[in-house]
């Protein structure tokens, strides 16, 4: 090899080794760069870890400290010098307990330490709340990582804890306040209703005495104002009870058609004074007995119907009740109250169900009211799992409706009369279309042929043209000819079928006797279907009636003596009202001033029926009832009917009375007819008692 060649080889070797070196160098530089980045990231993590405000530490799998952040050290300030890499966790806890940084909370030191370090407690993460010596509340979270490290994390929740405590205290205070409010309302209700008994009862009695026109007006005004005041008091009480969540529903079997009919009848005279027709359209195939809170349903009906009557000047108010079966005996009932009144502008519709809200409109201001009726109705219907709504057109009329699910009372079979063979064609005469439609439905579904007429002359024309029918149902007040005139003309033409007057007049019985004789029967509108069918002499299958709940008694007729009643009542005015109410009935009434007097009187004299006030001095009505029941049991006597007279309107009272052994209750202010009705009811049950035997 020449020199030249040798040099070339050496050169090549040099280049190769240099390039290898350069490669090596690049690799090292790259690695260094990665390392530098890693270091920066680690430094960043360490920094973040050290400044997060919550205390955090990492222990290795042997539970020795690896690292703790600043907050962690601050938490153990007095012993922070101990917190170094390698410190065992139980030593830290032990030192913290000694220094009073952690509170033992009734545990021994060992229990505490074991609780903190027990692997079972930590597996899967543990959360506990501890209190420190200086009153801070910490939430401790310990989590074991996959490599065995333990991450211990504690958040200072002192502020949240305090806020929570404040909230709880405020909640309890609010509950207390609400209880105080209800108690206040209960006593107010009692206090207000008791004197109202005197006012309304006495005015009632006054109206029955010989008065001249002026005096009658005054007495009537006292009575009706008293009754309006009571309505307002009851509304406010109801609303407060609902507000306090104290409104409870009492389910009992009730006749829905009757309830709707009663509500209509209560508002009939008001509707009549305004010349409005008040109609009830109860679905022909809907059962009438349901399980529900009859009182509350009647209250909603009354409110909707009274609104409809109040805000209607001419036309009609019609209550439609329909229902569809949903499942096992349950029905979804739809009730709609439709009127032809002033209506509600669309913009005002949303607010009518709000409390104390009335439509802001010139038309509306003339009417009185507190604006609570619909708010209460809405809450009641919602409590029955139902819905309430309104649809209205300004100046045309409104429909207020609600739907509720109710269980049909099982013992009721659908009660549809059979039509006698000789009856097939019925004529309905009424100038109001809605009335004709209702009767058409009610009678048509029985299989009768129904022809409707809007005036008397058309009926007479049809008759003259040879049309024949078996019965006529006619309205009284119609344009041109009245129902009486129609009946007379038909009779004159030799019509021999039934003629029934279905009058909307408040007092159809005002008609002269001679007029009345033309009709086979006279009914008031709206008529209960059963009354209508009865007056049409349709045949009923024996009527199943639901069993009566409550105490059943042995009965036998009262003989020659007067019925003896005992009354316990501490209020002198109320004693007087009660006495006067029964004055003309000829009962033998004895009066006691409190429960203990009642008991003495009962033991000495016995009674057929006992009436007792509930709140009385010395011994209240409940205690007196219990004492009477105990006495009866001891002496082997039949239980006497005991009726509570109460001004209490709070929930649960009825149960309390029944539980104490009472049979019934009357709510004050007492109404004479209600008292007499009840006496009559118990009269038949009252004879086989100790008193008649003595
Ligand atoms: P209250 O019922 O407490 O005596 P109210 O009748 O004024 O007073 P709601 O029954 O709550 O109160 O009715 C609220 C408002 O809704 C009424 O004041 C009226 O403006 C409007 N309203 C209710 N029913 C009708 C209706 N049938 N036609 C027109 N407006 C109605
Ligand atoms: Mg109202």
């Amino acid at each position: 090899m020449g020199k030249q060649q040798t040099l070339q080889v050496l050169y090549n070797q040099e280049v190769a080794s240099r390039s290898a070196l350069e490669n090596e160098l690049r690799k090292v530089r790259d690695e260094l760069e990665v390392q530098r980045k890693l270091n920066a990231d680690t430094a960043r993590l360490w920094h973040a870890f050290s400044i997060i405000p919550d205390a955090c530490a990492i222990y290795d799998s042997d539970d020795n400290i690896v690292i703790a952040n600043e907050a962690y050290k601050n938490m153990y300030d007095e012993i922070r010098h101990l917190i170094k890499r390698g410190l065992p966790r139980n030593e830290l806890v032990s030192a913290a307990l000694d220094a009073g940084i952690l509170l033992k909370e009734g545990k021994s030191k060992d229990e505490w330490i074991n609780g903190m370090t027990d692997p079972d407690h930590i597996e899967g993460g543990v959360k506990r709340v501890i209190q420190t010596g200086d009153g801070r509340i910490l939430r401790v979270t310990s989590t074991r990582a996959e490599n065995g490290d333990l991450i211990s994390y504690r958040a200072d929740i002192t502020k949240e804890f305090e806020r929570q405590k404040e909230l709880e205290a405020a909640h309890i205070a609010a509950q207390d306040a609400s209880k105080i409010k209800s108690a206040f309302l209960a006593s107010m209700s009692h206090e207000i209703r008791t004197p109202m008994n005197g006012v309304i009862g006495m005015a009632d009695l006054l109206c029955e005495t010989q008065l001249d026109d002026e005096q009658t007006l005054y007495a009537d005004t006292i009575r009706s104002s008293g009754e309006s005041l009571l309505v307002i008091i009851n509304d406010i009480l109801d609303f407060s009870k609902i507000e306090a969540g104290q409104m409870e529903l009492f389910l009992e079997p009730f006749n829905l058609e009757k309830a709707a009919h009663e509500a209509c009848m209560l508002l009939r005279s008001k509707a009549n004074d305004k010349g409005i027709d008040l109609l009830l359209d109860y679905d022909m195939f809907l059962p009438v007995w349901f399980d529900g809170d009859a009182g509350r349903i009647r209250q909603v009906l009354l409110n909707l119907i009274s609104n409809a009557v109040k805000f209607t000047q001419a036309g009609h108010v019609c209550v439609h009740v329909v229902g569809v079966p949903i499942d096992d005996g349950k029905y979804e009932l739809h009730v709609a109250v439709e009127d032809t009144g002033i209506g509600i502008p669309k913009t005002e519709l949303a607010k009518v169900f709000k409390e104390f809200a009335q439509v802001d409109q010139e038309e509306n201001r003339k009417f009185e009211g507190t604006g609570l009726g619909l708010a209460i109705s809405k809450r009641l219907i919602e409590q029955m799992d139902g819905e309430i709504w309104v649809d209205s057109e300004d100046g045309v009329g409104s429909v207020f409706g609600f739907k509720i699910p109710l269980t049909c009372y099982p013992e009721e079979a659908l009660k549809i009369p059979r039509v006698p063979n000789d009856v097939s064609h019925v004529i309905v005469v009424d100038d109001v279309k809605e009335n004709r439609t209702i009767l058409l439905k009610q009678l048509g579904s029985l299989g009768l042929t129904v022809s409707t007429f809007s005036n008397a002359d058309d009926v007479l024309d049809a008759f003259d043209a040879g049309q024949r029918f078996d019965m006529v149902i006619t309205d009284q007040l119609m344009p041109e000819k009245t129902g009486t005139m129609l009946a007379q003309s038909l009779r004159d033409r030799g019509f021999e079928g039934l003629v029934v007057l279905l009058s909307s007049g408040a007092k159809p019985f005002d008609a002269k006797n001679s007029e009345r004789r033309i009709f086979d029967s006279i009914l008031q509108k709206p008529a209960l279907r059963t009354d209508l069918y009865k007056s049409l002499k349709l045949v009923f299958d024996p009527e199943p009636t639901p069993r009566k709940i409550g105490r059943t008694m042995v009965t036998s007729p009262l003989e020659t003596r007067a019925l003896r009643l005992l009354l316990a009542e501490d209020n002198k005015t109320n004693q007087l009202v009660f006495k006067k109410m029964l004055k003309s009935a000829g009962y033998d009434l004895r009066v006691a001033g409190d429960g203990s007097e009642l008991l003495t009187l009962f033991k000495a004299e016995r009674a057929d029926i006992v009436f007792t006030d509930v709140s009385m001095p010395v011994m209240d009505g409940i205690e007196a009832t219990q004492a009477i029941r105990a006495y009866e049991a001891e002496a082997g006597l039949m239980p006497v009917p005991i009726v509570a007279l109460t001004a209490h309107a709070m929930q649960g009272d009825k149960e309390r009375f029944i539980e104490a052994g009472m049979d019934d209750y009357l709510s004050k202010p007492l109404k004479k007819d209600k008292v007499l009705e009840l006496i009559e009811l118990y009269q038949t049950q009252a004879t086989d008692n100790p008193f008649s035997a003595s």
Side-chain angles (χ1 to χ4, degrees), residues 307 310-311 339 344 357-359 364 369-374 398 400:
N307 279 351
K310 178 159 67 169
F311 297 107
D339 67 52
I344 304 166
Q358 291 174 314
V359 170
N364 219 292
T370 49
L372 270 178
L374 287 176
S398 316
F400 278 83

Side-chain angles (χ1 to χ4, degrees), residues 150-201:
L150 181 79
I151 294 96
S152 177
Y153 181 88
R154 26 207 82 184
D156 188 337
I157 55 163
T158 315
K159 281 211 179 90
E160 284 91 327
F161 195 78
E162 274 163 8
R163 209 168 306 134
Q164 176 80 22
K165 265 183 148 169
E166 277 167 20
L167 275 177
E168 274 162 18
H171 184 67
I172 290 169
Q175 277 178 333
D176 286 350
S178 155
K179 271 186 210 139
I180 291 167
K181 190 172 92 177
S182 331
F184 170 73
L185 282 172
S187 70
M188 279 304 282
S189 114
H190 184 82
E191 294 310 316
I192 297 172
R193 280 159 154 264
T194 304
M196 287 305 286
N197 188 36
V199 175
I200 298 176

Side-chain angles (χ1 to χ4, degrees), residues 362-464:
E362 192 52 41
E363 271 291 288
N364 219 292
R365 298 224 183 90
K366 323 195 260 270
F367 304 100
E368 55 185 36
T370 49
L372 270 178
L374 287 176
I376 293 171
S377 302
K378 181 172 193 289
R379 308 275 186 114
L380 286 175
I381 291 296
E382 282 170 355
Q383 201 164 344
M384 295 178 203
D385 295 326
E387 268 175 56
I388 191 165
W389 67 85
V390 55
D391 194 7
S392 184
E393 197 173 325
D394 201 6
V396 177
S398 316
V399 185
F400 278 83
F402 64 87
K403 66 169 189 203
I404 43 169
L406 282 188
T407 305
C408 177
Y409 195 76
E411 279 168 47
E412 193 222 7
L414 204 58
K415 203 171 45 205
I416 296 180
R418 279 184 286 113
V419 176
N421 291 337
D422 55 338
V423 178
S424 70
H425 192 184
V426 184
I427 298 283
V428 170
V429 196
D430 200 310
D431 56 325
V432 178
K433 183 166 155 267
E434 282 71 20
N435 258 327
R436 296 198 297 270
T437 315
I438 292 170
L439 286 168
L440 184 68
K441 270 201 295 190
Q442 289 182 341
L443 299 170
S445 54
L446 298 182
L448 287 163
T449 308
V450 186
S451 307
T452 57
F453 292 87
S454 61
N455 64 72
D457 283 328
D458 287 355
V459 181
L460 295 174
D461 288 349
F463 191 84
D464 292 342

